[in-house]
Amino acid sequence: MATGSLKLAQEYAKDAQKASKGSWFSKPEWDTAAQYWDKAATSYKTALHFEEAIDCHAKASDAFTKVNALYLAAKGYENAAILAEKQLKDHSKAVTYYCKSSDMFRSQGSSPDRAAEMLEKAAKICEDVDTDQAIQLYDAALGIYETEDRGRFSMGTFKKLTSYLIEKNRLSEAADAQMRLYAVCEQINNRYEGNKCCLAVIVLLLAFGDNVAASKRMDEFGQSVSLLHSNEFALADQLLQAYTNGDQEEFVNIARSQKVSFLDSSISRLAVKTRVPGAARVEQAAPYQAAIPKGAATSSSAHTTPAPSAVLQNNGSTVPPAPLVDDDDDLL
């Protein structure tokens, strides 16, 4: 079967090339060529010749573009990208074709969601190999949703981008992404998600260590009457106060509340792990260091080891400090 499919694919490819060239007396028949390239791609795929199948899908898309069949061109590039990603594991080529598919879907005019989806697939491929490119592609996908007034369909992409930025410890950018989502929620009147965005932004900024920016954001959020009286706003304010006061225990207690746990898992985990500056920490006692021997040179700027102090026992009594001993084992 593979041999027959390969022969058939080669015949389709020849017919496509012939239709693409035209002749002295006729122009190239791009519509016919596109159909032959598409059939050749399918036959090559059946014969497990994936490199040739990818090339034929791309050529079919090029031909469809010539006759302004942009939706079919987009589908061809998408098929090429899928084969490059799944069969050849050629991530660079897959990203290229996903981006071309996105361009065609958007140029076609009626498929902005599909255009954004292609960029999101490309971003997913880049996550483990190129962080900056992955972020740029997610951002471009979100830009399509925002400019095409399709914000209600962008929630999942915003969540993926935020989780990825947290994973890469780019918390300030994650807070910016949540602010963009908050703006979208305001436009589509989604108060539930908008309130969660408010709380998420404050958690991210405090985890980043920027309580000044968090305070400014709280002032902005306070301009919204509905948000001002929400539980999320109250929790965000309590987190900010605990952080400012250096109260680690109170901060963690708030971070473990139910409303915080309703945030995306990456954000709720981050809230619990956040360390508050100035909070009391249990530190291990430093090992005792020997005193400086007699006769060692000293100066006003030289470092000296402080004398040990008495140790308080559980019964209230004290144990005197051990005597300092010089190199000759004489008591000081």
Side-chain angles (χ1 to χ4, degrees):
M1 180 178 177
T3 303
S5 296
L6 179 59
K7 184 178 180 180
L8 186 60
Q10 292 169 342
E11 291 176 357
Y12 283 139
K14 288 181 181 179
D15 290 336
Q17 290 173 345
K18 182 178 179 180
S20 300
K21 292 179 180 178
S23 65
W24 286 101
F25 304 102
S26 63
K27 297 180 179 180
E29 299 177 2
W30 293 114
D31 190 18
T32 301
Q35 295 178 45
Y36 277 128
W37 283 125
D38 196 46
K39 291 179 179 180
T42 301
S43 296
Y44 273 127
K45 185 165 58 175
T46 302
L48 305 182
H49 283 239
F50 299 116
E51 188 73 53
E52 291 85 349
I54 291 171
D55 184 58
C56 288
H57 274 308
K59 288 179 178 178
S61 292
D62 291 341
F64 279 127
T65 303
K66 298 287 187 180
V67 294
N68 205 35
L70 301 183
Y71 184 86
L72 294 176
K75 288 293 296 180
Y77 285 132
E78 181 185 7
N79 290 333
I82 292 172
L83 288 176
E85 178 188 4
K86 304 297 184 182
Q87 301 299 334
L88 298 185
K89 310 300 180 184
D90 189 336
H91 292 165
S92 177
K93 185 174 290 187
V95 169
T96 297
Y97 284 130
Y98 274 131
C99 289
K100 285 188 174 184
S101 178
S102 176
D103 290 340
M104 291 296 103
F105 275 126
R106 195 169 190 190
S107 298
Q108 188 261 342
S110 63
S111 304
D113 298 346
R114 295 281 281 137
E117 181 187 349
M118 294 301 102
L119 292 180
E120 189 175 333
K121 287 184 176 182
K124 184 65 178 178
I125 293 173
C126 293
E127 283 188 355
D128 295 329
V129 293
D130 191 333
T131 299
D132 289 335
Q133 186 177 12
I135 294 172
Q136 290 172 3
L137 288 167
Y138 275 126
D139 184 72
L142 291 171
I144 293 176
Y145 286 122
E146 291 169 326
T147 57
E148 298 290 341
D149 196 24
R150 306 287 288 177
R152 62 176 53 86
F153 301 103
S154 67
M155 301 293 181
T157 308
F158 270 115
K159 291 177 180 179
K160 290 177 183 178
L161 175 58
T162 301
S163 295
Y164 182 63
L165 289 168
I166 292 174
E167 177 187 336
K168 296 302 179 181
N169 201 33
R170 297 171 73 153
L171 304 183
S172 179
E173 293 173 69
D176 291 340
Q178 285 296 297
M179 281 300 300
R180 287 175 66 183
L181 178 55
Y182 174 75
V184 170
C185 292
E186 286 286 287
Q187 291 175 356
I188 63 176
N189 199 30
N190 188 337
R191 292 182 179 178
Y192 175 74
E193 289 294 336
N195 292 350
K196 289 172 62 177
C197 288
C198 160
L199 182 54
V201 167
I202 300 307
V203 168
L204 289 165
L205 289 174
L206 294 180
F208 182 61
D210 194 347
N211 61 314
V212 175
S215 180
K216 291 180 180 179
R217 288 300 185 191
M218 286 297 294
D219 291 339
E220 294 177 22
F221 292 140
Q223 301 301 313
S224 170
V225 176
S226 60
L227 181 56
L228 182 63
H229 295 93
S230 68
N231 291 329
E232 288 82 2
F233 184 89
L235 283 172
D237 186 58
Q238 291 170 21
L239 284 173
L240 179 58
Q241 290 301 320
Y243 189 95
T244 303
N245 296 335
D247 193 336
Q248 182 70 51
E249 182 178 359
E250 178 65 11
F251 188 94
V252 172
N253 287 338
I254 300 169
R256 287 175 175 167
S257 64
Q258 189 179 46
K259 282 291 183 180
V260 177
S261 68
F262 286 163
L263 300 177
D264 290 342
S265 58
S266 58
I267 299 176
S268 60
R269 287 196 301 268
L270 187 65
V272 175
K273 293 179 181 179
T274 298
R275 298 297 302 177
V276 173
R281 293 179 173 83
V282 179
E283 299 179 353
Q284 295 181 348
Y288 178 73
Q289 298 179 352
I292 300 175
K294 285 182 179 180
T298 61
S299 67
S300 58
S301 62
H303 173 73
T304 59
T305 303
S309 58
V311 179
L312 181 65
Q313 299 297 299
N314 291 335
N315 59 7
S317 62
T318 58
V319 177
L324 300 178
V325 181
D326 64 10
D327 290 342
D328 298 325
D329 292 333
D330 294 331
L331 295 180
L332 294 178

